[in-house]
Amino acid sequence: MAIKVGLIGYGTIGKRVADAVALQKDMELVGITGHSYDYKIEVAKKKGFRIFATDGKEDFLKNNIKLEGDINNLLDEVDIIVDSTPKKIGKENKEKYYLPKKIKAIFQGGEKPDVAGASFVAQCNYDEALYKDYVRVVSCNTTGLCRTLNVINRNFGIDSVHATMVRRAVDPWDIYHGPVNAIVPVLELPSHHGPDVQTVLHDVNIFTTAMSVPTTLMHMHSLIVDLKKSATPEEILDLFRKTTRIRVVRNAEHVRSTAEVMELAKDFGRLRGDMPEIVVWEEGIGVKGKKLFYLQAIHQESDVVLENIDAIRAATGFKDGKKSIDMTNKALGVNNF
Ligand code: NAD
């Protein structure tokens, strides 16, 4: 029996998760919600997705969008909801709909950790989400930090981590926000990323700082890791190469920037030019004593999509985390080049 999935919040993350659910053999996308009429809803209609309205019903009807009902009608048909609404709305939806109707839900990183019984990155803590009613997929940055730090911790041990997040200003479609011509430091230390990593990697001692810069193409992290056991750059590289959902790229191939990483993803033929793997540079790893330095880039719009799929399986009781990761990767062409 396929897992019946509903999608609430059809935006940057939601439209990708909807496509990803539709590609899984063990899942059925029951429908998506439209909150206001726009081009994304027109595309959903062309894809044949069933559309339920959370708001703006008149506008949908005026534009010939057939509605299957409202959010309650969608909830009546599903085993689990992926809620990818903007931050704080997920929690409101939980109180208003999912709790009273006893519907399982996956939330996104914009929600506070207490919205769910587990914060989640599949390759780090799949089992913690097993059978949970509510699971929170952590933010794109936290997902990236967890994927690489987890394997380093398992193989060499981590004493402490200092990481700086250089964050893209906005997503590429966003004409409203910035910065356009400034570097904006996050004047809260640690930035929220460090404590958020610890919701997944509970024993990793990490301190983070962050800033926003005028680009839409990916985040970049600069990490300094104090290792318990010394390692060579080659050993770290080998580890990253063997680890799923991490991609090693090379300056030697002229992949020198986030612009070229995004171009590479398009050349792979990826849907929307997505790069859900965390990108590390072969030439961007250094070691001094037991201190490891590396740089990684995060495609904010897509890394968490994989995690949402695995979170659905974990919450609905699919016990084999490794198998789930393999199924998701295969369906979505991850690490296929
Ligand atoms: P978005 O603004 O692109 O999409 C949100 C969608 O939800 C929009 O289509 C909007 O119309 C709809 N919506 C708004 N209010 C609603 C409501 N009450 N009911 C139903 N739908 C409603 O947002 P996003 O970037 O996809 O972010 C969604 C979540 O994912 C947030 O928690 C965010 O922190 C997290 N996230 C975002 C990114 C990113 O880079 N964009 C990365 C990782 C995680």
Side-chain angles (χ1 to χ4, degrees), residues 47-271:
K47 288 185 177 191
F49 294 168
R50 294 169 74 211
I51 300 165
F52 298 75
T54 42
D55 207 354
K57 195 172 157 193
E58 300 304 312
D59 247 4
F60 288 123
L61 297 177
K62 208 167 71 194
N63 287 286
N64 294 321
I65 301 293
K66 181 181 162 227
L67 294 176
E68 304 275 343
D70 62 17
I71 184 168
N72 286 302
N73 300 113
L74 175 61
L75 291 172
D76 287 344
E77 291 190 41
V78 302
D79 299 320
I80 188 163
I81 279 292
V82 175
D83 187 308
S84 40
T85 55
K87 67 178 172 190
K88 297 189 182 155
I89 295 176
K91 183 158 195 224
E92 284 171 26
N93 284 342
K94 178 184 170 187
E95 312 289 335
K96 197 166 164 192
Y97 300 110
Y98 316 145
L99 272 171
K101 281 185 174 275
K102 297 193 171 59
I103 303 268
K104 285 179 181 274
I106 309 299
F107 297 99
Q108 309 305 314
E111 301 303 319
K112 294 261 189 313
D114 65 5
V115 77
S119 288
F120 183 79
V121 175
Q123 65 211 75
C124 304
N125 69 338
Y126 185 94
D127 289 353
E128 271 186 60
L130 264 181
Y131 297 110
K132 288 276 188 320
D133 287 336
Y134 303 110
V135 177
R136 168 181 168 264
V137 168
V138 292
S139 75
C140 50
N141 280 308
T142 305
T143 298
L145 290 167
C146 288
R147 283 195 196 155
T148 53
L149 290 172
N150 180 52
V151 279
I152 294 169
N153 196 29
R154 285 190 188 172
N155 288 271
F156 297 98
I158 290 178
D159 252 343
S160 64
V161 181
H162 291 93
T164 297
M165 259 58 61
V166 181
R167 294 157 65 186
R168 61 92 179 96
V170 293
D171 287 333
W173 61 267
D174 190 341
I175 57 174
Y176 303 109
H177 304 102
V180 171
N181 188 22
I183 298 173
V184 185
V186 172
L187 297 172
E188 168 205 322
L189 279 88
S191 66
H192 71 273
H193 309 91
D196 207 25
V197 165
Q198 290 167 328
T199 66
V200 177
L201 303 178
H202 308 295
D203 61 345
V204 167
N205 175 16
I206 177 168
F207 194 94
T208 51
T209 55
M211 67 192 79
S212 300
V213 296
T215 178
T216 64
L217 305 177
M218 311 185 80
H219 305 293
M220 183 80 82
H221 298 171
S222 172
L223 291 102
I224 305 173
V225 184
D226 288 297
L227 300 170
K228 288 195 169 130
K229 213 171 91 186
S230 52
T232 64
E234 292 72 30
E235 284 173 317
I236 298 292
L237 203 53
D238 190 46
L239 197 60
F240 286 160
R241 283 217 169 90
K242 284 186 194 141
T243 305
T244 188
R245 300 181 176 179
I246 296 176
R247 171 177 296 279
V248 177
V249 296
R250 299 168 63 225
N251 180 37
E253 289 174 359
H254 289 199
V255 183
R256 300 160 295 197
S257 67
T258 55
E260 285 152 327
V261 170
M262 288 286 82
E263 197 62 18
L264 180 65
K266 288 184 207 157
D267 289 350
F268 287 167
R270 293 274 176 81
L271 182 60

